[in-house]
Amino acid sequence: MSEKNPVTTIWDYLRWRGDLPLTCDGFNEVDNLLLCIVSYIDFRRLTQLKSFDPANAMPIGEVCALLTEEDEQLGLSPEDYIPVMRAMAASERFGDVKMFAFESSNDEEKVMQFAAVSFLLPDNSVFVAYRGTDTTLVGWQEDFNMSFLTAVPAQLRATEYAKEVAEVTPRKVLRLGGHSKGGNLAAWAAIHLPEKLQRKRLAAAYNNDGPGFAKEVLESEAYARIEDKIHTYIPESSIVGMLLEHAEEYTIIDSTNHSLMQHEPLSWNVLGNQFIYLGQRSEMAQLGDSVVREWLTNMSVEERKEFTEALYSILSMGGKVKTLEDLQSGGLSGSLALVKEYIGADENKKKVINQIIKRLATDVRGELRKAAEEKLKTAEQSLRQAVFERKNSK
């Protein structure tokens, strides 16, 4: 019997392959994920890092030396990411990397949550890393808006940001990447770059468990030009990366976590210089994909817009709550305030939320019942076959 490969994560990758410089062993998908993880860290205190001039780029080790606990990552994960960055800075592989062009914006008026940072790599390339959704409610509202808007402000800014970075690094190969919403931004920016930049300098765009796009984007000429440059990775059971549509080929990967927690990038399994690939999504994940897609398909654009606005209004308690931490810190009193906000909402908002949640619940029950019936049918067939074989063997 063959021995199963040991389960390893990016920590093991840094320990075992961190001594191989990029000039000896080329850039790979695991390197992409590590740089995307760094983009979640809060660099707002570091003024020099905000410069878009590559001459002012800071060595990754110098950046690490300035970080404290208050700068920890702003994503939804409970994990600490600064230790990952410090391990990268201590390695031969990433020790010579420089960082610049940090940008972070949360604009309630525009409904935009955007953050990115760029890396100058020793292989004469530049990597743009877009941050995923953070804990601000405006970030979540923007994510919901993707279901009915042709483009959200963060996507438009992602394209402009990539063009600005490309302009100040004219002779470098360009790679874009992001995790979660950041992965969607990376792919979006790649699709909407000028054609010359797409053909001449863009090497790859990495969508690490981020949502896909509406059909019209996937059927565009711009998308067709770079489809083979978009690399999409989706864990076996995660649901985030299957939102909207993926026309590109995507790779199913393994994780040490289960269900929704597979979205956490530190849990992704690695073998050598790539993720551990699986043949297909888990059965429950496939069921979830079909339910979510069916749900979105059955909603009109206007319904999606009304649902998003009503839900945001109630969650933000009329604009008084700004972050998920604010909601959570309220404890029981916060929950009661949320209920009170819902009860006090106008009848149209309540009606929209009730109707759509009821429809989703009905779809889920129907799909689960259908799956259970199929399982029962398969079990009965297997039982009949076993009985038949036992009779014939006598």
Side-chain angles (χ1 to χ4, degrees):
M1 190 172 74
S2 62
E3 201 172 298
K4 189 178 178 183
N5 289 318
V7 173
T8 59
T9 63
I10 58 171
W11 284 110
D12 302 296
Y13 174 82
L14 283 171
R15 280 194 293 269
W16 296 347
R17 302 184 72 90
D19 61 342
L20 295 174
L22 284 163
T23 48
C24 295
D25 184 35
F27 190 89
N28 62 60
E29 59 202 41
V30 187
D31 297 324
N32 133 69
L33 185 64
L34 282 161
L35 295 174
C36 292
I37 286 171
V38 171
S39 73
Y40 277 105
I41 296 171
D42 185 5
F43 300 112
R44 285 177 295 184
R45 291 191 306 108
L46 309 187
T47 305
Q48 185 178 335
L49 202 57
K50 298 174 185 176
S51 171
F52 272 71
D53 184 350
N56 294 328
M58 300 177 67
I60 190 170
E62 284 186 18
V63 176
C64 284
L66 297 172
L67 297 177
T68 67
E69 283 184 10
E70 69 178 284
D71 307 308
E72 244 317 338
Q73 61 106 349
L74 295 172
L76 303 173
S77 169
E79 303 288 342
D80 289 341
Y81 287 172
I82 289 178
V84 179
M85 186 180 175
R86 288 193 169 130
M88 291 168 66
S91 72
E92 180 78 17
R93 191 163 186 81
F94 295 99
D96 292 330
V97 168
K98 292 184 176 181
M99 302 172 62
F100 75 116
F102 172 69
E103 183 176 315
S104 178
S105 174
N106 286 286
D107 190 320
E108 290 185 34
E109 192 174 327
K110 288 183 181 177
V111 189
M112 179 178 82
Q113 175 250 317
F114 175 83
V117 66
S118 292
F119 302 84
L120 298 172
L121 305 180
D123 64 352
N124 196 39
S125 70
V126 58
F127 186 92
V128 171
Y130 298 101
R131 181 187 294 166
T133 306
D134 61 19
T135 57
T136 59
L137 289 183
V138 70
W140 281 84
Q141 185 184 15
E142 187 177 37
D143 288 354
F144 293 146
N145 287 352
M146 284 182 181
S147 70
F148 65 84
L149 291 178
T150 306
V152 296
Q155 290 172 327
L156 301 178
R157 179 57 196 144
T159 305
E160 291 306 309
Y161 178 94
K163 285 160 63 176
E164 289 168 16
V165 169
E167 189 177 341
V168 297
T169 56
R171 287 177 290 278
K172 292 190 181 293
V173 170
L174 177 65
R175 296 187 184 93
L176 313 177
H179 170 261
S180 193
K181 171 188 169 180
N184 174 280
L185 299 185
W188 174 276
I191 294 166
H192 293 87
L193 287 175
E195 184 176 350
K196 185 178 178 182
L197 193 51
Q198 286 180 328
R199 295 189 187 280
K200 298 279 188 182
R201 292 179 55 196
L202 180 67
Y206 298 92
N207 183 351
N208 302 289
D209 203 23
F213 301 99
K215 203 172 182 182
E216 54 267 28
V217 174
L218 302 174
E219 292 175 347
S220 67
E221 267 185 49
Y223 175 80
R225 278 197 300 270
I226 63 153
E227 183 176 359
D228 62 337
K229 295 183 179 183
I230 298 178
H231 306 281
T232 303
Y233 304 100
I234 299 172
E236 182 188 20
S237 297
S238 174
I239 197 171
V240 179
M242 293 307 296
L243 295 177
L244 300 183
E245 298 184 51
H246 286 284
E248 79 279 16
E249 291 291 320
Y250 56 83
T251 304
I252 307 302
I253 61 171
D254 198 16
S255 164
T256 56
N257 286 345
H258 300 287
S259 191
L260 287 173
M261 294 309 294
Q262 291 190 350
H263 188 56
E264 164 53 60
L266 291 182
S267 75
W268 293 11
N269 290 334
V270 173
L271 185 62
N273 60 1
Q274 64 181 46
F275 304 122
I276 293 179
Y277 302 156
L278 301 175
Q280 62 181 8
R281 302 259 291 153
S282 73
E283 196 172 339
M284 282 306 295
Q286 289 178 50
L287 177 61
D289 299 343
S290 66
V291 170
V292 170
R293 283 206 177 110
E294 186 71 22
W295 184 49
L296 287 172
T297 301
N298 287 336
M299 286 170 67
S300 68
V301 171
E302 189 57 34
E303 279 182 314
R304 294 180 197 181
K305 184 174 186 292
E306 288 179 351
F307 176 70
T308 295
E309 290 176 350
L311 184 62
Y312 178 75
S313 175
I314 289 168
L315 284 177
S316 67
M317 298 184 192
K320 294 190 284 289
V321 171
K322 305 295 183 185
T323 69
L324 294 179
E325 287 100 331
D326 293 341
L327 273 177
Q328 191 176 22
S329 64
L332 180 60
S333 61
S335 300
L336 291 173
L338 201 58
V339 170
K340 187 176 177 182
E341 185 71 24
Y342 175 80
I343 292 170
D346 66 62
E347 289 306 311
N348 186 54
K349 281 180 186 172
K350 284 194 282 192
K351 184 180 175 184
V352 167
I353 289 178
N354 289 341
Q355 281 181 341
I356 291 176
I357 289 178
K358 191 183 295 181
R359 185 189 304 171
L360 177 61
T362 302
D363 287 347
V364 169
R365 280 198 299 271
E367 290 293 334
L368 287 173
R369 186 169 57 249
K370 194 190 305 177
E373 286 169 356
E374 286 298 320
K375 278 186 173 294
L376 185 59
K377 195 183 297 180
T378 303
E380 285 174 352
Q381 288 171 349
S382 299
L383 184 59
R384 286 197 198 100
Q385 182 66 26
V387 170
F388 176 77
E389 289 174 357
R390 191 179 303 157
K391 282 181 179 178
N392 287 341
S393 66
K394 288 180 179 177

